[in-house]
Amino acid sequence: MAIYAMYLTNRYGIKLKKAKSSQEQMNLRLQYSKELLSKLNIKINVENKECIPTQGQYLLISNHRSIIDPLIIEIALENSNINGYWVAKKELYNSSFFGTFTRNAGTILLDRESSNMSVFFKKAKEVVSQKHSIYIFPEGTRNKQNTPISSFKEGSRIIALKNRLDILPVYIKTNANDILKEAIEKRTKDLTINICIGDIISYKDKTPLEENYKKQFNLD
């Protein structure tokens, strides 16, 4: 399965590199997500579908436990017209597994070691000016603790404020990392990951983002 996943990821990475438009990139991302999760026998169940906007631009925020979390969200938003660029850390750009895919899939590079974040915010502004949304995991990295979420970084709120993006909160209720392990190690069929969509949060809301998120999904 690991060999197949690497093959598929790099095959789509090459396709993405040849894409002639951002819409083609988004379509390929969705195709990839469906193909890989289907191979893993994983289905996505979306709760509160009515809360998914049909159009517009947002800063989508989600908790983060597994490497397949972006794929889960891509499928959850399949029937909306929201097209987002993922914030991706430099390590993914340099990865032999994900590098080609990440660099060409519609992403904004985040170099956490850089002392100058102006390049990142300039790219984010450019993406928004092109009518795209931005998707980010505000925890900054995968949560490997026995808690629903780990602490949010301040950067997500700054992105929303600088670009006047209302916030679309998403909560992956199922521990997708556990499901992924079961899919790979046991080849269990008919696995399901539940994802919940929250209510839009105004970028003007001064309540700490983590507090707002926890309240929406009853995580206290």
Side-chain angles (χ1 to χ4, degrees):
M1 178 54 72
I3 293 171
Y4 172 80
M6 177 175 283
Y7 158 76
L8 189 69
T9 303
N10 281 283
R11 179 160 69 86
Y12 270 92
I14 293 169
K15 286 185 177 183
L16 284 159
K17 191 174 183 178
K18 296 177 181 178
K20 294 179 172 59
S21 68
S22 59
Q23 185 59 56
E24 188 176 354
Q25 286 179 327
M26 305 302 164
N27 291 341
L28 285 168
R29 282 186 353 196
L30 179 59
Q31 289 174 22
Y32 166 77
S33 301
K34 285 183 169 182
E35 192 167 341
L36 185 54
L37 291 187
S38 175
K39 187 69 173 180
L40 290 165
N41 297 309
I42 295 174
K43 296 179 180 178
I44 307 304
N45 176 56
V46 184
E47 300 176 14
N48 297 343
K49 284 185 180 180
E50 67 278 6
C51 291
I52 301 176
T54 56
Q55 58 187 358
Q57 291 174 263
Y58 302 90
L59 177 71
L60 182 149
I61 63 170
S62 172
N63 59 318
H64 191 24
R65 282 190 179 274
S66 82
I67 60 173
I68 61 171
D69 291 343
L71 284 62
I72 295 166
I73 291 169
E74 292 286 337
I75 291 175
L77 298 182
E78 177 181 5
N79 295 318
S80 76
N81 290 317
I82 301 172
N83 291 323
Y85 272 55
W86 283 97
V87 173
K89 56 188 180 181
K90 185 175 69 174
E91 293 88 334
L92 289 175
Y93 269 55
N94 297 331
S95 166
S96 59
F97 193 109
F98 293 109
T100 302
F101 187 97
T102 304
R103 287 192 297 271
N104 298 294
T107 57
I108 305 172
L109 171 63
L110 175 62
D111 184 355
R112 292 179 293 188
E113 298 175 357
S114 175
S115 58
N116 185 357
M117 297 298 292
S118 61
V119 174
F120 170 81
F121 285 111
K122 182 180 179 181
K123 177 64 176 178
K125 187 174 182 179
E126 178 186 320
V127 164
V128 173
S129 71
Q130 294 170 350
K131 307 302 180 183
H132 295 294
S133 294
I134 296 176
Y135 302 164
I136 191 170
F137 297 114
E139 294 162 289
T141 189
R142 278 182 283 160
N143 173 19
K144 298 178 182 178
Q145 307 301 316
N146 189 28
T147 56
I149 62 170
S150 54
S151 298
F152 282 9
K153 310 298 182 187
E154 185 63 19
S156 298
R157 182 173 175 81
I158 295 173
I159 294 169
L161 286 169
K162 279 182 172 287
N163 295 283
R164 298 182 179 181
L165 289 174
D166 287 337
I167 298 161
L168 175 60
V170 172
Y171 180 53
I172 302 173
K173 297 175 68 175
T174 309
N175 188 327
N177 199 52
D178 289 346
I179 295 294
L180 179 59
K181 285 181 179 178
E182 185 168 346
I184 293 172
E185 296 172 4
K186 298 181 181 179
R187 301 299 295 144
T188 305
K189 297 188 181 300
D190 297 324
L191 294 166
T192 300
I193 291 174
N194 294 304
I195 180 171
C196 186
I197 312 297
D199 295 321
I200 300 297
I201 302 170
S202 170
Y203 72 88
K204 298 178 182 178
D205 192 325
K206 295 183 179 179
T207 307
L209 191 54
E210 183 179 336
E211 181 181 331
N212 243 331
Y213 187 89
K214 286 181 175 179
K215 184 177 180 181
Q216 288 233 11
F217 300 111
N218 299 312
L219 301 178
D220 287 331

